[in-house]
Amino acid sequence: GQNIDQPTEMTATEGAIVQINCTYQTSGFNGLFWYQQHAGEAPTFLSYNVLDGLEEKGRFSSFLSRSKGYSYLLLKELQMKDSASYLCAVLDSNYQLIWGAGTKLIIKP
Amino acid sequence: GAVVSQHPSRVICKSGTSVKIECRSLDFQATTMFWYRQFPKQSLMLMATSNEGSKATYEQGVEKDKFLINHASLTLSTLTVTSAHPEDSSFYICSARDSGSSYNEQFFGPGTRLTVL
């Protein structure tokens, strides 16, 4: 079966750095997405990785290792507004998105 | 980025009635649109994939006669929840894939919160 694992909840301090991990086992791979979802709102796109390595975009970076079936989202200089759920999703061989359950990130002052 | 609208944003209805939700891609053409359902504190669950001009593909366990999907144009897909019941109360989100992009990114609508009394 297809499976995506990420921690259920994480807590971090304002101004700090946090890394959210995601491991996946899917039938085929056509890229990995990270989305941010605030409570009661639809997901918004953060990043897309299809090749191994680190993609940096401002305070957010995303890393991918296809051989290990592993990705992480790195958030720097955390702000209170970063409190949200972060969803990892993999595009499988049928170009269908397989979603993780999401990681709820709590930022404390 | 590409914009997807969804209407209505919130709807409350009586049990047994039908509710139609519209999903529109505003500045791009979407051959494929997706309908998701999300219960509180849970991840997105794909209900069906909607392809313009053809029948939708439903995920296992989703009743196609209850959740009617129509994708009549490259910018509009509709989801109709027929004979809604309280257990259908959920957050329904659509997304659209830009036909002209090789990025495979899905752009999400703002969601529709359905409450069935």
Side-chain angles (χ1 to χ4, degrees):
Chain A
Q2 310 207 87
N3 193 48
I4 296 185
D5 287 316
Q6 51 181 131
T8 304
E9 187 174 296
M10 298 182 72
T11 302
T13 305
E14 190 177 15
I17 299 173
V18 71
Q19 176 174 312
I20 303 174
N21 296 323
C22 170
T23 58
Y24 63 89
Q25 292 175 306
T26 57
S27 56
F29 179 85
N30 281 299
L32 185 144
F33 293 85
W34 283 97
Y35 284 86
Q36 180 190 61
Q37 185 178 26
H38 286 99
E41 299 180 11
T44 55
F45 171 79
L46 289 179
S47 68
Y48 172 68
N49 294 68
V50 67
L51 299 176
D52 290 350
L54 187 68
E55 295 276 345
E56 295 185 78
K57 190 186 294 184
R59 294 190 298 115
F60 293 3
S61 303
S62 57
F63 171 84
L64 174 67
S65 169
R66 288 172 296 172
S67 62
K68 295 181 179 179
Y70 167 71
S71 172
Y72 68 72
L73 179 69
L74 190 71
L75 293 78
K76 303 176 184 176
E77 301 169 18
L78 286 170
Q79 302 175 10
M80 297 304 292
K81 67 179 182 179
D82 297 330
S83 292
S85 287
Y86 291 85
L87 307 173
C88 172
V90 171
L91 207 59
D92 71 7
S93 57
N94 295 318
Y95 288 93
Q96 181 156 308
L97 269 180
I98 310 300
W99 292 88
T103 298
K104 182 179 180 181
L105 178 62
I106 300 169
I107 309 295
K108 294 185 176 180
Chain B
V3 179
V4 174
S5 71
Q6 208 172 319
H7 178 80
S9 59
R10 193 178 292 266
V11 58
I12 300 172
C13 68
K14 293 182 179 179
S15 185
T17 60
S18 294
V19 175
K20 179 186 280 189
I21 303 170
E22 292 187 350
C23 178
R24 293 179 185 272
S25 57
L26 298 186
D27 51 2
F28 66 99
Q29 292 185 332
T31 306
T32 305
M33 290 185 172
F34 304 88
W35 286 97
Y36 293 89
R37 181 167 52 183
Q38 187 175 37
F39 292 105
K41 298 184 180 181
Q42 294 187 22
S43 189
L44 297 169
M45 292 178 55
L46 180 65
M47 298 176 66
T49 301
S50 169
N51 296 296
E52 186 266 336
S54 63
K55 291 182 179 180
T57 303
Y58 289 81
E59 295 300 300
Q60 192 173 8
V62 179
E63 301 174 56
K64 62 180 180 180
D65 294 330
K66 181 171 180 63
F67 299 98
L68 302 178
I69 291 173
N70 185 283
H71 193 160
S73 78
L74 285 172
T75 59
L76 173 64
S77 176
T78 61
L79 168 68
T80 301
V81 183
T82 62
S83 186
H85 291 286
E87 58 264 31
D88 298 323
S89 298
S90 187
F91 192 45
Y92 292 85
I93 308 173
C94 73
S95 69
R97 181 183 291 158
D98 186 347
S99 304
S101 170
S102 59
Y103 203 55
N104 293 313
E105 179 185 348
Q106 289 185 26
F107 300 96
F108 285 86
T112 297
R113 186 161 301 283
L114 171 64
T115 302
V116 184
L117 303 176

